[in-house]
Amino acid sequence: MHKNKHLMMKPMAWAVIAALGYLPAARAADSERQLAEVTVQGERAPSLPENLPASTAGMSAGDIAKNVNVINTEDTVKYLPSVQIRKRYIGDRNSIIATRTSGQTSSARSLLYADGLLLSNLMGNSYAYPPRWNLVSPAEISRVDMIYGPFSAEYPGNATGSVVLLSTRLPQQFEAHVKTQIFSEHFREYATDARYQGAKAEAVLGNKSGDVSWLLEAGHLDSHGHPMQFASNPKSYGGGASATVVSGAQRDSDATGQSRLLTGATSLDHTIQDNANLKLVYDISPTLRASYMLGYWQNQSDTRYDSYLRDAAGHIVDSGIVSINGQKYDLANSFQAGRREEEHLLHALSLKRNSGGSWDWEANASWYDISKDAQRTANSGSNGAGKITLQDGSGWQTVDLKGDWRPSGSRAGAHQLRVGYHYDHYVLDSRSHATSNWQNGSAGAQTDAFAGQTQTQALFVQDSWRLAPAWQLVSGARYEQWQAYGGQTMSSGKRYQHATREQSFVSPKAALLFDLNDNWALRAAVGRAYRMPTVAELFQGSASGSNTIVNNDPNLKAEKVHSTELSAERALDAGQLRLSLFEERIGDALLSQTNTSVTPNVTNIQNIDRVKTRGVEIALENRDVLLPGLDLRGSVTYARSRIEQNAKNSVSVGNPYPGIPQWRATAVVSYRQNDKLSYSLAGRYSGVQAYDVNNSVSNNEVYGANSPYLLFDARLAWQLTKQFSTAAGIDNIANNKSYAYHPMPRRTLHAELKFDY
């Protein structure tokens, strides 16, 4: 406990640093600045809606290049306030966004957009349904922004945690870029002591000729990941079969403090990924633009294991009956090799009118197709029978129509109205089959399956009115009609058909802004939101072989969210300081727990009656602090989240809600020595967070827990010539151990070389 108390003091220190960065810039504030341009969000990023009634934070491509070691697209947001990205290794496909009010496995409580195109995978709400970061390359990004809270009627209830907006760029003339990167991580845990390495290459070509612009990007990633799990506590064996005497097993205490026997490292993933994106843009007129995007991504990954067990001759033992210190164990299912092949396609069309006059509008449509997803897993070891799980045919379609009316005929008018229509359709079809040969055998008898569809249609209206020179009211509402249908659950030879459901929801929003003076702006925002259950939450389950219990609930209620935020923003001469007080109250929160009110107990996704989270967030961004070229950005967040009512597990009342730490902080200090050379040092901190509703984890700094962490990263970027640049960096300089149940990355070295034409 002493160590955790020490770590919790760190955000306080960073708050002092933030205050020091604020003081010199505050003295130099420009009194002639027009507050109307900086009240809510400062200079508006291209992808941020106008008159946004919510707090935001962002980073430009230039700042990302100087400060962030980026391999995968999700790396670009890791230093934004109140953010944790669950990226376990380079090439991880399960990178979930955690924010100030949502945990790191609640994938459906945040949204990812690229140029207005929805890339969130709302087929489920867990680590298995991450946003599709890989459909946008880091090389395309011009800026990343984050919106906090469900205060804009433009976004659905999944925006409760956050909305991440990726803005991509278009060429203005012919350009070509090539970048190569290498990385290496030294990982040491139990009897594993190895280096895991990889490389990435990407190329970009683009041009603008007359009214036509195009951009073509392609990338290739080859990465070896460290172990994601460890085989532990093999089943005791009391039969008469002979046992192989082995050595090499490890012992420690698990997350609950119980003694644990570990026999090897598992889930070592070798992933080879390729992506290609084509963007075509045609300027029909000076105010009307049409665009088309084609995205492709494929992954081939092999999962292996590393048994620690050795027989008397030193041979590896990964199956059968073994004897460890005189006790017999059965290694069945302890070690399982696997392979996964995936291909995804994205088509997107957009038509947008942007005149700045009385009427503007846009139309977006997309189709995300999981054309191939085949996962093969051995039942035991690396040979023999196994299971094939297929999810091809899954995917989603979206349509968004939006319009802006400005009665005054310009954006400078006091009154603006934004209206829109949204449609989405998610299809999930998962089937598992037995196979006699897990590596190349054909699919045999179906063992389990689940499938279903959800569909949402929504209308929204949002009105922005400058009531007086210093007062602005932004109010709106969102109407949503939701359906879930085609639900099926098959397990143990039984198939269950689930009834069609349809519900409607209305979510009002309002924000009042007051320009206190030329430098200070205040905002009060309230909003209701509904986060509807996903296909996987409703229909993914299992049935026992002896009765009709289905371990899922197709009648789950939607999460009902009431959010409030009070914020004060200070415009600095070269940045911004923000203080936000926030509260989120959730009725019928969706989370996996054990229902202790029934016999036998059932563990599955359930509605928790009432959860409340309150907190405060301080965020700072400032340039040229104390001396020219020294830039500072950082944040400190305190959140207190508690379960207030839970009829299905009453002993959990009063416990912290899982996945939300009390303290979280980021800091980035960078120095531009000149226009060619820059250095940065960054830190990320997260305090203790509950793993489950019972708060059963007592040993929170071991594999299997959600641990606190304090990580420091560094980067050096050097422009060698006009065409060539290089960068080198280290993530997790001190090689600290941390866990999000799985081991998180240890010290990782990065190097890159880039050519720009």
Side-chain angles (χ1 to χ4, degrees), residues 46-81:
S47 58
L48 285 176
E50 296 180 46
N51 302 302
L52 186 65
S55 298
T56 66
M59 189 179 288
S60 68
D63 286 337
I64 293 170
K66 288 185 302 181
N67 299 324
V68 190
N69 298 316
V70 175
I71 302 292
N72 305 119
T73 300
E74 58 267 31
D75 297 329
T76 60
V77 304
K78 65 183 177 182
Y79 299 131
L80 296 184

Side-chain angles (χ1 to χ4, degrees), residues 182-258:
I182 57 174
F183 45 87
S184 178
E185 175 197 13
H186 184 199
F187 183 88
R188 182 181 298 168
E189 188 91 3
Y190 303 117
T192 299
D193 186 353
R195 188 165 290 279
Y196 300 95
Q197 305 179 105
K200 184 180 181 182
E202 58 185 338
V204 180
L205 291 175
N207 197 8
K208 179 176 175 63
S209 178
D211 297 326
V212 177
S213 304
W214 60 270
L215 191 74
L216 176 63
E217 185 275 337
H220 177 79
L221 173 71
D222 189 332
S223 177
H224 293 263
H226 64 246
M228 289 298 96
Q229 300 187 69
F230 297 91
S232 61
N233 295 334
K235 185 178 180 181
S236 295
Y237 178 75
S242 61
T244 302
V245 177
V246 296
S247 60
Q250 306 280 307
R251 276 206 176 271
D252 77 342
S253 296
D254 67 14
T256 63
Q258 301 298 310

Side-chain angles (χ1 to χ4, degrees), residues 13 17 34 48 105 181 187 230 250 344 374 379-380 382 463 615 619 621 734 755:
I17 294 173
Q34 295 296 315
L48 285 176
T105 56
Q181 298 171 283
F187 183 88
F230 297 91
Q250 306 280 307
H344 295 192
N379 289 339
S380 182
S382 57
D463 184 77
E621 179 182 354
F755 170 80

Side-chain angles (χ1 to χ4, degrees), residues 291-565:
S291 62
Y292 168 73
M293 175 184 172
L294 172 63
Y296 170 81
W297 174 80
Q298 77 85 28
N299 167 59
Q300 295 184 12
S301 64
D302 290 291
T303 304
R304 63 180 183 85
Y305 56 82
D306 179 18
S307 173
Y308 298 157
L309 305 181
R310 301 292 186 271
D311 63 17
H315 300 136
I316 296 173
V317 178
D318 59 8
S319 62
I321 309 302
V322 297
S323 175
I324 301 174
N325 297 327
Q327 174 66 48
K328 288 185 177 181
Y329 298 94
D330 186 353
L331 295 182
N333 302 320
S334 292
F335 301 103
Q336 298 169 301
R339 179 186 305 135
R340 190 167 186 175
E341 296 182 358
E342 301 171 272
E343 285 189 359
H344 295 192
L345 279 172
L346 171 66
H347 299 272
L349 283 169
S350 175
L351 188 62
K352 184 173 184 178
R353 185 178 191 271
N354 186 14
S355 67
S358 297
W359 278 102
D360 279 326
W361 52 269
E362 62 180 289
N364 299 288
S366 70
W367 173 38
Y368 196 98
D369 177 33
I370 300 178
S371 56
K372 184 177 185 178
D373 189 337
Q375 185 172 6
R376 291 173 170 266
T377 308
N379 289 339
S380 182
S382 57
N383 296 298
K387 181 172 75 171
I388 303 173
T389 300
L390 306 171
Q391 290 195 38
D392 56 285
S394 303
W396 61 88
Q397 303 88 40
T398 68
V399 175
D400 283 285
L401 308 176
K402 300 175 184 179
D404 292 290
W405 178 49
R406 309 178 185 98
S408 68
S410 76
R411 289 190 173 95
H415 184 207
Q416 298 185 44
L417 187 71
R418 188 167 177 85
V419 297
Y421 166 80
H422 169 80
Y423 167 85
D424 65 55
H425 176 215
Y426 282 82
V427 179
L428 179 55
D429 186 4
S430 177
R431 300 92 63 199
S432 294
H433 299 261
T435 180
S436 59
N437 186 324
W438 77 270
Q439 297 188 63
N440 49 36
S442 59
Q446 190 173 77
T447 56
D448 55 79
F450 70 97
Q453 302 181 48
T454 60
Q455 177 180 287
T456 304
Q457 297 190 75
L459 297 171
F460 78 85
V461 58
Q462 186 158 285
D463 184 77
S464 172
W465 205 311
R466 177 69 61 173
L467 305 174
W471 291 89
Q472 183 181 10
L473 175 66
V474 182
S475 59
R478 186 179 183 89
Y479 169 78
E480 293 167 299
Q481 185 184 67
W482 171 79
Q483 287 183 315
Y485 56 96
Q488 299 182 48
T489 305
M490 183 266 187
S491 179
S492 301
K494 301 177 181 179
R495 186 179 298 272
Y496 301 87
Q497 305 285 341
H498 303 293
T500 297
R501 293 179 57 192
E502 182 174 331
Q503 289 181 276
S504 298
F505 308 95
V506 177
S507 303
K509 327 270 186 176
L512 184 64
L513 296 81
F514 175 55
D515 300 343
L516 187 64
N517 54 41
D518 286 346
N519 295 311
W520 282 97
L522 308 177
R523 178 180 58 249
V526 295
R528 178 188 294 172
Y530 291 88
R531 205 280 285 176
M532 282 74 85
T534 61
V535 175
E537 287 174 304
L538 291 168
F539 306 131
Q540 183 176 10
S542 60
S544 72
S546 59
N547 54 43
T548 58
I549 293 177
V550 178
N551 199 22
N552 67 291
D553 182 359
N555 298 307
L556 290 171
K557 300 176 184 178
E559 293 183 335
K560 184 178 182 180
V561 181
H562 293 271
S563 290
T564 306
E565 183 182 71

Side-chain angles (χ1 to χ4, degrees), residues 5-193:
K5 291 180 180 178
H6 175 71
L7 288 175
M8 289 177 65
M9 295 176 63
K10 300 297 182 180
M12 296 299 187
W14 288 351
V16 173
I17 294 173
L20 291 174
Y22 153 77
L23 289 173
R27 290 194 295 267
D30 184 358
S31 62
E32 297 182 357
R33 179 176 300 177
Q34 295 296 315
L35 188 60
E37 297 178 359
V38 298
T39 48
V40 181
Q41 60 210 41
E43 183 180 352
R44 189 173 67 88
S47 58
L48 285 176
E50 296 180 46
N51 302 302
L52 186 65
S55 298
T56 66
M59 189 179 288
S60 68
D63 286 337
I64 293 170
K66 288 185 302 181
N67 299 324
V68 190
N69 298 316
V70 175
I71 302 292
N72 305 119
T73 300
E74 58 267 31
D75 297 329
T76 60
V77 304
K78 65 183 177 182
Y79 299 131
L80 296 184
S82 302
V83 177
Q84 179 184 358
I85 300 296
R86 180 187 173 274
K87 179 185 173 184
R88 302 167 298 170
Y89 59 98
I90 294 173
D92 189 2
R93 280 85 65 201
N94 295 335
S95 296
I96 306 300
I97 305 166
T99 63
R100 62 192 187 188
T101 60
S102 62
Q104 56 193 330
T105 56
S106 298
S107 61
R109 299 193 83 239
S110 60
L111 293 171
L112 176 68
Y113 289 86
D115 298 329
L117 173 67
L118 181 63
L119 293 180
S120 291
N121 181 354
L122 301 181
M123 297 187 295
N125 179 44
S126 74
Y127 64 88
Y129 303 95
R132 305 315 306 177
W133 300 97
N134 37 48
L135 263 295
V136 177
S137 165
E140 302 174 69
I141 295 174
S142 62
R143 185 176 174 85
V144 298
D145 289 278
M146 178 166 283
I147 303 171
Y148 297 88
F151 303 115
S152 173
E154 186 168 342
Y155 298 107
N158 308 87
T160 295
S162 66
V163 179
V164 177
L165 304 176
L166 306 178
S167 300
T168 66
R169 59 186 183 81
L170 281 174
Q172 300 302 309
Q173 59 186 7
F174 178 77
E175 60 180 71
H177 312 272
V178 178
K179 182 164 70 172
T180 60
Q181 298 171 283
I182 57 174
F183 45 87
S184 178
E185 175 197 13
H186 184 199
F187 183 88
R188 182 181 298 168
E189 188 91 3
Y190 303 117
T192 299
D193 186 353

